[in-house]
Amino acid sequence: MLTQRQGLVVWLHSLKHAKSLRRFGNVHYVSKKMKYVVLYCNQEDIDSVMEKINSYSYVKRVDPSFKPFIKSVFENSRPDKAKEYDYKMGF
């Protein structure tokens, strides 16, 4: 079965320790300019992983992603009349 995943944004003081975060989940992206790591882990373990990661001295802060909780099915979305007219014209 597929497990629910959730992203974490880990802000670091130095990127030297970015590789050590791989044991907590899948490292998806590392920003060298802004010094953060996007990490995906299981949704059930998100609180314990955040506490463990936040306890390290090289971590500034840890932010969870709220994407699993945002509704992605939109209701009552009607197209704009001006755009609909443009599509009929062939622009």
Side-chain angles (χ1 to χ4, degrees):
M1 291 284 242
L2 293 175
T3 59
Q4 294 293 322
R5 309 284 277 169
Q6 187 172 357
L8 289 175
V9 180
V10 182
W11 297 89
L12 304 171
H13 290 288
S14 171
L15 287 178
K16 185 179 4 177
H17 305 286
K19 204 176 219 183
S20 67
L21 294 174
R22 286 193 280 174
R23 65 179 154 144
F24 296 107
N26 296 338
V27 174
H28 181 70
Y29 180 73
V30 177
S31 172
K32 294 178 181 172
K33 182 179 178 184
M34 296 182 65
K35 295 181 185 175
Y36 69 88
V37 175
V38 177
L39 175 80
Y40 282 93
C41 59
N42 292 339
Q43 199 168 10
E44 308 96 37
D45 307 332
I46 200 80
D47 293 328
S48 62
V49 170
M50 280 179 63
E51 286 179 18
K52 286 180 190 175
I53 292 174
N54 222 357
S55 67
Y56 291 121
S57 61
Y58 54 86
V59 175
K60 285 184 187 177
R61 70 175 195 265
V62 181
D63 297 329
S65 171
F66 297 107
K67 186 175 184 230
F69 308 112
I70 295 173
K71 191 170 85 170
S72 62
V73 178
F74 303 108
E75 298 174 3
N76 201 13
S77 60
R78 295 184 305 188
D80 190 15
K81 292 290 182 184
K83 288 182 183 177
E84 189 177 313
Y85 179 72
D86 289 343
Y87 291 136
K88 289 179 183 175
M89 290 284 296
F91 289 126

